[in-house]
Amino acid sequence: MKRTKLLIPGPVELDSEVLLAMARPLMGHRTPDFEEILQDCWRLLREVYQTRNDVAIITGSGTSAMEAALASVVKEGDEVVSITGGKFGERLAEIAAAFGAKVKKVEVEWGGTFSLEEVERAVAESNAVAVTLTHNETSTGVLHDASAIGRLAREYDLLFIADCITSVGGDEVRTDEWGIDLCITGSQKCLAAPPGLGFVAVSERAWEVIENNPGKRAYYLDLSRYRKALEKGTTPYTPSVSLIYGLHAALRKIEEETLEARIRRHRRLARATREAARAMNLELFAAEECASNTVTAIKIPPHLSDDDVRGALKREHGMLVAGGQAQLKGKIFRIGHMGNVTFAELVQVLAALELVLKKAGHDLELGAGVAAAQEAFSD
Ligand SMILES: Cc1ncc(COP(=O)(O)O)c(C=O)c1O
């Protein structure tokens, strides 16, 4: 099978040490040897999350962690303020509603970020118990200011539930400092681990709500079961042993690189991608002041199709970038530069992009995007 290089916002390319770790024979999941691996995963997860809180490890993709967070804190009739503005912001609102919450949406224009006054008005006019935000909205390539919502949540005594699925391990996520009570992430994005694990870092405030919530509609995803198991150094159900091996190897790679250097690399890659796009006469979808550092959304020029860009990149160069979702289908494409992506790998996709655009009749000068990326990266 011809190999396709992944430059999508997850799953991302895995390091060979991560792949090899998963080929190891299974261990008993309730043994001291496995507990040692789990304990080290928890230690390393707390570092990338910048938290002292417990981190639940769930077998399931990121959405299972979103569901665990909401199902554990919400009870029928609770009011929840959800800041939307993209497919994943909508998903948090949908999950809250699925567990009986009365959701008050603060709708944000796709590609932009929220107005704090508007969020505050929605909070002040409701009896909300929680506020939800997608920190890095992957569908639009927007990074929202989670620290501002954290302050607001404290002021109004709300639980702050943040989907940080495409930011933890790639961008700054200061779980404790920003006051994120339920901080959600997934394995296959910036952590560069295999798909199939979800995580929730839970604050003391949130544990209190969870443990005093008799109305919760959850069993497998009831976070209180994860806390009980955590105290005993284990998981409540059989964990996916091989995925935990992969996670452990991936987290150790992050420790080796250091979180600080990793965040800096992501930011430089994002800047290089945006500058390259502009130099290729392409328009960015997200406003510059809230552009994501892990995924860049670029408008498909009106005279071109999704196939002219993404189809050709895959067919002719073996590179996969993501398309638009929901109402953005066919209108944008998204380059994922999260996980282990290097500058050299980014340049490959940018150079290939120039070729396919030129071939499709787009007005650009070959090499202009690559040169702009080089300039931006060396700043
Ligand atoms: C911001 C965000 N939230 C949630 C999800 C859903 O995660 P998963 O597909 O792992 O369930 C994604 C996946 O792309 C995402 O980017």
Side-chain angles (χ1 to χ4, degrees):
M1 192 179 70
K2 198 163 156 266
R3 192 145 150 27
T4 303
K5 180 107 187 145
L6 302 181
L7 284 137
I8 53 177
V12 301
E13 295 281 335
L14 300 185
D15 191 271
S16 55
E17 281 175 44
V18 174
L19 291 169
L20 287 171
M22 289 192 287
R24 282 167 45 201
L26 295 187
M27 283 179 187
H29 62 295
R30 310 274 185 225
T31 59
D33 286 346
F34 191 68
E35 180 181 340
E36 204 177 296
I37 296 176
L38 271 179
Q39 292 289 6
D40 208 37
C41 286
W42 279 317
R43 173 183 72 83
L44 293 164
L45 281 168
R46 283 195 297 269
E47 280 179 19
V48 288
Y49 262 114
Q50 303 185 56
T51 188
R52 297 156 76 107
N53 295 338
D54 294 327
V55 183
I57 301 179
I58 299 165
T59 304
S61 74
T63 306
S64 71
M66 294 160 81
E67 181 158 337
L70 283 152
S72 299
V73 298
V74 161
K75 58 182 184 313
E76 188 77 37
D78 277 350
E79 282 185 47
V80 172
V81 170
S82 283
I83 303 163
T84 60
K87 184 174 149 59
F88 297 107
E90 294 284 346
R91 185 174 298 180
L92 272 176
E94 281 166 21
I95 297 173
F99 288 95
K102 280 197 258 162
V103 177
K104 182 166 189 167
K105 280 196 208 173
V106 178
E107 300 204 22
V108 174
E109 195 187 333
W110 288 35
T113 191
F114 58 81
S115 130
L116 191 57
E117 292 73 46
E118 209 180 312
V119 180
E120 179 156 13
R121 209 174 314 123
V123 165
E125 285 169 1
S126 69
N127 288 314
V129 296
V131 56
T132 71
L133 174 75
T134 309
H135 181 213
N136 189 76
E137 179 50 77
T138 322
S139 63
T140 59
V142 165
L143 177 70
H144 296 290
D145 181 0
S147 65
I149 300 303
R151 281 192 295 276
L152 190 73
R154 279 285 175 278
E155 200 182 315
Y156 286 84
D157 199 24
L158 307 179
L159 283 180
F160 179 22
I161 304 172
D163 167 353
C164 296
I165 288 181
T166 46
S167 51
V168 169
D171 206 350
E172 201 71 74
V173 178
R174 300 189 182 182
T175 306
D176 293 357
E177 191 183 315
W178 295 352
I180 306 175
D181 293 296
L182 293 119
C183 190
I184 302 155
T185 201
S187 51
Q188 79 278 22
K189 312 283 189 180
C190 306
L191 299 178
L197 296 173
F199 312 92
V200 192
V202 187
S203 73
E204 269 315 311
R205 240 158 67 99
W207 281 129
E208 228 166 89
V209 173
I210 293 167
E211 270 151 24
N212 294 296
N213 181 7
K216 61 172 125 51
R217 297 191 206 152
Y219 186 95
Y220 189 86
L221 294 176
D222 175 353
L223 286 173
S224 57
R225 296 175 195 276
Y226 289 78
R227 185 182 215 187
K228 280 197 198 87
L230 247 155
E231 283 162 1
K232 293 189 236 145
T234 190
T235 53
Y237 321 103
T238 309
S240 176
V241 173
S242 310
L243 296 184
I244 301 277
Y245 291 161
L247 170 73
H248 191 214
L251 291 171
R252 280 163 61 166
K253 296 297 287 180
I254 299 178
E255 188 181 37
E256 206 175 285
E257 181 177 8
T258 78
L259 183 62
E260 200 189 345
R262 193 173 177 89
I263 292 172
R264 198 172 341 111
R265 173 169 57 80
H266 279 81
R267 291 183 172 179
R268 290 171 79 201
L269 290 175
R271 197 167 355 109
T273 308
R274 293 198 296 274
E275 290 307 327
R278 290 189 184 103
M280 289 183 215
N281 300 325
L282 294 172
E283 220 183 303
L284 295 163
F285 182 72
E288 181 65 19
E289 61 279 9
C290 56
S292 162
N293 292 311
T294 62
V295 56
T296 298
I298 301 171
K299 292 186 189 173
I300 297 176
H303 52 287
L304 302 186
S305 69
D306 181 72
D307 189 63
D308 288 333
V309 183
R310 291 197 322 118
L313 272 177
K314 182 158 184 289
R315 270 192 309 275
E316 295 166 25
H317 301 279
M319 290 185 174
L320 190 67
V321 299
Q325 293 168 291
Q327 68 259 43
L328 296 177
K329 214 175 175 65
K331 301 207 166 77
I332 62 166
F333 64 100
R334 294 169 301 142
I335 301 179
H337 31 74
M338 62 179 69
N340 298 322
V341 177
T342 63
F343 180 66
E345 287 167 324
L346 182 71
V347 163
Q348 287 176 5
V349 74
L350 296 174
L353 180 60
E354 288 185 347
L355 285 176
V356 302
L357 289 171
K358 184 95 184 167
K359 190 167 166 189
H362 184 63
D363 175 29
L364 90 165
E365 197 183 314
L366 286 180
V370 169
Q374 288 168 319
E375 285 288 339
F377 194 77
S378 39
D379 265 359

